[in-house]
Amino acid sequence: MPSHITSPLIAGNLAIDFINTQFGVGEEHQECLTDSSSVITWLQQAGVLSEYRESPPPGLAHLARELRDNMRELLISAQQGRSADPAVINHVLERGCPLEKIEWQPAEAAFQKKTYRRNLESESLLQPVAWALVQLLTEEDVQLVKECEASDCILLFHDQTKSHRRRWCSMASCGNRMKAAAHRARKKTG
């Protein structure tokens, strides 16, 4: 499998991490969903797709990028209190909805609910990401989705801190860098 650029999974939310698959500023702009195998790799790293041995379905990367753009648009619209067209999300939710069945389990002598992917089409693979956005938009405070305050970072994160004062996508990267820069600036003027 070719090597791919991967985005950090630091947002605290699957949908936001998926939106963060396109990041960077200016010349440093990065696209993580370059082809279908990069989408499969990201889904595996995010923990929503276990072993995957088939060839990726045709059009997976294109649908993933469309989905990501629609997700970003819906999130921004919700934060601004305005409507946006959820067509791509709804398409993925409808076509990718998993099948639930009950099956007899002889070892336990009981029925158990089993969940299966409807198929291995793009929509089924991306459905968990679309569902994560639905949960974010309908069950969470979207105002707690913030952009990193580092001047050269556009990553989003879900601020789940008690005080809701998180400022950076990651303290390990942007937070430390920005604090060090502020310290150097204070030393210069002091």
Side-chain angles (χ1 to χ4, degrees):
M1 200 177 269
S3 91
H4 301 289
I5 297 169
T6 57
S7 60
L9 300 171
I10 48 85
N13 180 284
L14 178 65
I16 300 169
D17 278 327
F18 191 72
I19 291 169
N20 285 343
T21 58
Q22 187 177 53
F23 64 95
V25 179
E27 298 292 315
E28 298 297 315
H29 182 81
Q30 301 291 327
E31 172 62 69
C32 299
L33 307 178
T34 55
D35 58 22
S36 294
S37 64
S38 65
V39 176
I40 296 294
T41 299
W42 188 89
L43 292 169
Q44 289 172 326
Q45 289 172 340
V48 295
L49 184 62
S50 55
E51 293 182 29
Y52 189 81
R53 300 183 198 292
E54 294 81 18
S55 294
L60 176 62
H62 177 74
L63 180 60
R65 289 188 298 267
E66 268 189 326
L67 176 64
R68 180 188 57 209
D69 294 346
N70 191 221
M71 291 170 69
R72 181 180 287 118
E73 179 185 5
L74 293 173
L75 180 60
I76 291 168
S77 318
Q79 287 179 320
Q80 296 173 350
R82 61 178 176 80
S83 179
D85 183 6
V88 179
I89 293 281
N90 286 336
H91 169 77
V92 170
L93 290 170
E94 179 184 332
R95 297 260 339 234
C97 186
L99 295 172
E100 292 183 340
K101 300 178 180 183
I102 60 168
E103 296 177 359
W104 182 255
Q105 301 299 314
E108 291 85 19
F111 283 102
Q112 287 184 344
K113 181 176 86 167
K114 298 283 187 173
T115 303
Y116 298 95
R117 291 190 187 283
R118 181 172 300 275
N119 51 46
L120 291 175
E121 292 179 3
S122 300
E123 292 86 357
S124 287
L125 298 174
L126 295 170
Q127 189 273 345
V129 175
W131 182 245
L133 184 75
V134 169
Q135 290 176 307
L136 178 66
L137 294 177
T138 61
E139 298 173 16
E140 301 287 339
D141 181 353
V142 294
Q143 300 308 322
L144 296 179
V145 176
K146 300 175 182 177
E147 186 174 305
C148 181
E149 289 184 20
S151 58
D152 59 347
C153 182
I154 63 165
L155 291 178
L156 301 174
F157 61 89
H158 189 203
D159 185 356
Q160 297 172 316
T161 61
K162 194 172 188 175
S163 64
H164 303 301
R165 291 186 180 180
R166 181 174 163 188
R167 299 176 58 196
W168 298 288
C169 63
S170 166
M171 191 61 199
S173 60
C174 289
N176 287 339
R177 220 168 20 89
M178 297 310 291
K179 284 185 171 198
H183 177 71
R184 282 191 302 277
R186 281 192 305 273
K187 279 183 94 168
K188 272 186 179 177
T189 60

